[in-house]
Amino acid sequence: MADWLIVQTIPQGERKAVQEIQRFGLMHGGDFRAYQPKFSRLQVSRSGEKKVKRRPLMPGYIFVRFPAGYYNDLADCSAVRSILKNADGRPAHIKGEVIGRLLRAERRLANEAKDARIYREGLRRGAPATFDQAMAQALFDGTGWAQVVSGMFAGRVLEIVSITPRGLLEVAVTLAGRETTAFLKPLIEAIPVESRSDALAKSAIAA
């Protein structure tokens, strides 16, 4: 069966249904596939901690592909409520290319909110798991320099020393003839630049 069927699950049972169908497939062999489209959403706790949570893109539904002859068995799997049917009583089919487009969009993070997408792209590059640090890492990865846009160092281009667990940029700065470091908020106080020379050239043109 090249096409996929639409399976309705019990409330919040999408993950359980996928697991049970995959387990059934391992027991019986054959080309069993179960797919639950997801997207990411940023959540902020009462303490201010930020996390990205994966959520069902289509709550209550998953897509399943399996060999002919197992229709009734899969309908009886745990967490499966029913297999959707057309008005004529036959199972509703979804073309394989439609599922393929959903899979490709999910891999490209096309369904993600911008902040969640930046975070997940940072994780793919090996950024730390804390949200603020991963966001800063994703934005400033590979630049080495930050152009300060507000605060006492506005207009200067400073070298990035590190990114703190709170997501602040630690930058090298000279104060009263002494080398020290300062901390800047990404995008609010500093923006990434490809190189120090590029940033200085842009600043000179703007002036």
Side-chain angles (χ1 to χ4, degrees):
M1 183 181 294
D3 295 346
W4 296 61
L5 301 187
I6 307 169
V7 172
Q8 185 179 23
T9 72
I10 62 174
Q12 301 180 355
E14 302 91 355
R15 182 179 178 183
K16 177 68 172 177
V18 168
Q19 291 174 339
E20 288 297 308
I21 290 171
Q22 290 176 337
R23 184 181 64 83
F24 181 88
L26 288 174
M27 292 174 58
H28 294 82
D31 185 17
F32 288 82
R33 294 284 304 276
Y35 170 49
Q36 177 196 3
K38 294 181 180 180
F39 75 104
S40 296
R41 183 175 64 186
L42 175 64
Q43 289 187 342
V44 183
S45 67
R46 292 182 179 178
S47 64
E49 182 182 4
K50 299 173 184 176
K51 292 183 179 180
V52 169
K53 295 289 188 179
R54 298 283 283 157
R55 290 290 183 264
L57 184 64
M58 304 171 186
Y61 296 92
I62 63 173
F63 300 103
V64 179
R65 187 182 70 190
F66 55 91
Y70 288 96
Y71 180 88
N72 292 329
D73 295 303
L74 290 186
D76 291 336
C77 282
S78 177
V80 171
R81 171 169 285 178
S82 64
I83 297 177
L84 262 63
K85 299 178 181 179
N86 295 317
D88 60 5
R90 297 181 180 181
H93 288 198
I94 297 292
K95 293 293 184 181
E97 51 263 33
V98 175
I99 301 298
R101 287 198 293 269
L102 285 172
L103 285 165
R104 289 191 293 274
E106 191 168 345
R107 293 192 188 104
R108 294 195 312 269
L109 309 180
N111 300 321
E112 314 296 78
K114 184 177 180 180
D115 50 9
R117 184 172 66 252
I118 292 174
Y119 168 74
R120 294 189 63 206
E121 287 173 346
L123 291 183
R124 287 182 174 182
R125 298 190 190 109
T130 59
F131 181 83
D132 290 328
Q133 193 173 22
M135 285 283 286
Q137 189 89 17
L139 290 167
F140 290 84
D141 182 42
T143 63
W145 297 90
Q147 184 166 10
V148 186
V149 294
S150 66
M152 65 181 297
F153 304 116
R156 299 177 65 175
V157 180
L158 302 175
E159 185 177 7
I160 300 172
V161 177
S162 68
I163 297 176
T164 73
R166 294 179 59 192
L168 299 177
L169 303 176
E170 183 182 10
V171 295
V173 64
T174 302
L175 285 176
R178 185 171 64 90
E179 294 290 334
T180 184
T181 58
F183 298 92
L184 304 173
K185 296 179 181 179
L187 301 183
I188 297 174
E189 297 177 315
I191 59 175
V193 290
E194 293 184 1
S195 68
R196 186 173 186 271
S197 59
D198 287 344
L200 290 175
K202 291 177 182 177
S203 297
I205 293 173

